[in-house]
Amino acid sequence: MLLLLQALFTTFAVTCSIALLCIQIVKAAHSTKLLARDVNSDIKTLKRGILAKNGKITSCELGVLTNLASAVSADCLDFSTGQNLDSSALYEVLLDDGIDGIAAKYKVDAATVHPEYNPTTKANNIAVLEYNKGQSITWNNTIAIKREFYWGNIVYSRSSVSDLDSIAWGSNNVVYNPPADDSTCNTMSTLYSGNTYDFTCMADTVASTDSYLSPCNIPYGTVYTYIGNTLYLAGFYSYSSVTGQSDDNSNGGPLCGTGTVRNYYLMISDWTLFIATRLDTKMLYYYPHDDKNFPDLNVNYALIPPTTSDKASVSLVGGDYFKNQGSFVSLSKIP
């Protein structure tokens, strides 16, 4: 079946008739110059999403794909044993009023974790959430691809919801075009150094909207990029590497210390066919009309696993940082 899916995808050109992947053909200048724009207004033209778990808002932002599905860090989900999700957990997605003017809350009907997800190394830290089942697709966020050719200025955003029932969204905290990935990003994560195309990395964190939720700064939640004058969804927060921290949350949270921090964001583009085949649905890409080299997507896409351990002084953190619920994992040896 997978071979058939790949064959169908290979013959797909500029039509959306195959319900696996729909490519949005866009004419746009491939400009990477700094744009004088209202970033917050541009973000609000897209759909933002936040995960709620067991009736509580989490710090986990979503890579919102359609009105039926989103991607999220697998670290944000609860597991009973191994790759088995805790069936007692109640997950909901909170969506803002971008695109269609309607804010919504949906119970998650199904969650699919990448089969090669490794909570220790953070490899393949992605899960697909399905909700609003039985409905048709009414809107999509368009995903940015081919970072090395088309991406312009990058935007990191941290969104907030002040009330779970009314789905009252606050303002965004954004950082626009932060410094590019540096050498410290490589030295603090062997997963990143072997898969640099699949991540962005930066040092900045941002204050939580409520100190009760998190007493210290937390990573931004979602990544966007400009291509020409249009903003597109690029990725979501995956994990952080930290030094000088304790192995628990007793100091207020895993990012509350004074050590060095690098935050890693997983890019959605290479995972799109993996997601689409599991949902049996279509998704939208930005794709220039004059580019003949379509990216080589893989329904079983996975990261190259680390072959060496991270430094003993480095620990990996991820998941939900609100109310000190983040997972805090010290690395010693790669299993």
Side-chain angles (χ1 to χ4, degrees):
M1 181 61 178
L2 291 180
L3 291 176
L4 175 59
L5 295 177
Q6 288 176 308
L8 286 173
F9 179 72
T10 302
T11 60
F12 180 79
V14 291
T15 175
C16 295
S17 60
I18 297 174
L20 296 180
L21 189 69
C22 177
I23 305 167
Q24 178 175 348
I25 307 300
V26 180
K27 286 187 177 182
H30 303 158
S31 170
T32 57
K33 65 182 180 180
L34 191 66
L35 304 172
R37 303 190 60 83
D38 182 347
V39 177
N40 272 306
S41 294
D42 289 339
I43 289 176
K44 290 178 181 179
T45 65
L46 303 172
K47 274 287 187 182
R48 297 174 293 162
I50 290 176
L51 181 69
K53 180 168 62 176
N54 297 327
K56 297 179 181 179
I57 294 168
T58 74
S59 66
C60 301
E61 295 196 17
L62 308 175
V64 179
L65 307 170
T66 72
N67 58 302
L68 306 180
S70 294
V72 71
S73 162
D75 279 352
C76 294
L77 306 180
D78 291 342
F79 294 81
S80 54
T81 56
Q83 288 274 35
N84 298 314
L85 288 169
D86 181 357
S87 60
S88 67
L90 170 65
Y91 299 106
E92 296 170 294
V93 297
L94 312 178
L95 303 178
D96 78 345
D97 60 359
I99 301 180
D100 62 357
I102 301 172
K105 176 174 67 175
Y106 297 113
K107 177 180 177 293
V108 173
D109 298 309
T112 303
V113 178
H114 193 285
E116 295 184 46
Y117 163 59
N118 186 318
T120 302
T121 67
K122 305 303 182 187
N124 308 302
N125 186 13
I126 183 171
V128 183
L129 306 179
E130 298 177 66
Y131 44 86
N132 202 16
K133 273 197 167 184
Q135 303 300 311
S136 58
I137 292 179
T138 57
W139 52 259
N140 300 70
N141 274 338
T142 305
I143 300 163
I145 60 174
K146 302 193 80 168
R147 172 182 172 189
E148 69 274 31
F149 294 114
Y150 303 124
W151 288 27
N153 301 298
I154 297 177
V155 176
Y156 292 84
S157 172
R158 165 57 61 181
S159 300
S160 62
V161 173
S162 58
D163 183 80
L164 186 62
D165 294 322
S166 64
I167 323 175
W169 285 76
S171 60
N172 289 321
N173 287 309
V174 300
V175 57
Y176 183 63
N177 226 33
D181 304 357
D182 61 12
S183 59
T184 306
C185 292
N186 278 292
T187 58
M188 288 186 64
S189 173
T190 56
L191 177 66
Y192 170 81
S193 63
N195 299 273
T196 54
Y197 183 81
D198 297 280
F199 294 95
T200 62
C201 170
M202 57 97 122
D204 293 11
T205 54
V206 62
S208 170
T209 53
D210 190 333
S211 60
Y212 171 70
L213 294 175
S214 177
C216 56
N217 285 9
I218 58 178
Y220 289 86
T222 311
V223 188
Y224 306 92
T225 185
Y226 280 101
I227 302 176
N229 292 330
T230 304
L231 193 67
Y232 295 92
L233 174 65
F236 55 89
Y237 172 73
S238 181
Y239 69 99
S240 298
S241 294
V242 297
T243 63
Q245 307 287 329
S246 63
D247 285 356
D248 55 42
N249 292 327
S250 59
N251 64 342
L255 299 180
C256 286
T258 58
T260 302
V261 176
R262 287 296 181 271
N263 307 301
Y264 301 90
Y265 297 81
L266 191 67
M267 300 297 96
I268 298 173
S269 57
D270 283 334
W271 309 86
T272 308
L273 193 56
F274 162 79
I275 295 169
T277 53
R278 277 142 184 86
L279 298 176
D280 190 26
T281 189
K282 60 187 179 182
M283 298 168 63
L284 293 183
Y285 269 136
Y286 166 86
Y287 201 68
H289 72 290
D290 56 351
D291 190 333
K292 308 301 181 185
N293 299 309
F294 195 80
D296 183 18
L297 302 180
N298 186 339
V299 294
N300 297 312
Y301 191 79
L303 298 178
I304 301 170
T307 57
T308 59
S309 300
D310 285 286
K311 294 180 179 179
S313 60
V314 172
S315 299
L316 302 186
V317 299
D320 178 19
Y321 290 108
F322 285 170
K323 298 185 179 177
N324 301 336
Q325 295 301 308
S327 63
F328 192 64
V329 181
S330 290
L331 287 182
S332 54
K333 293 182 179 180
I334 301 297

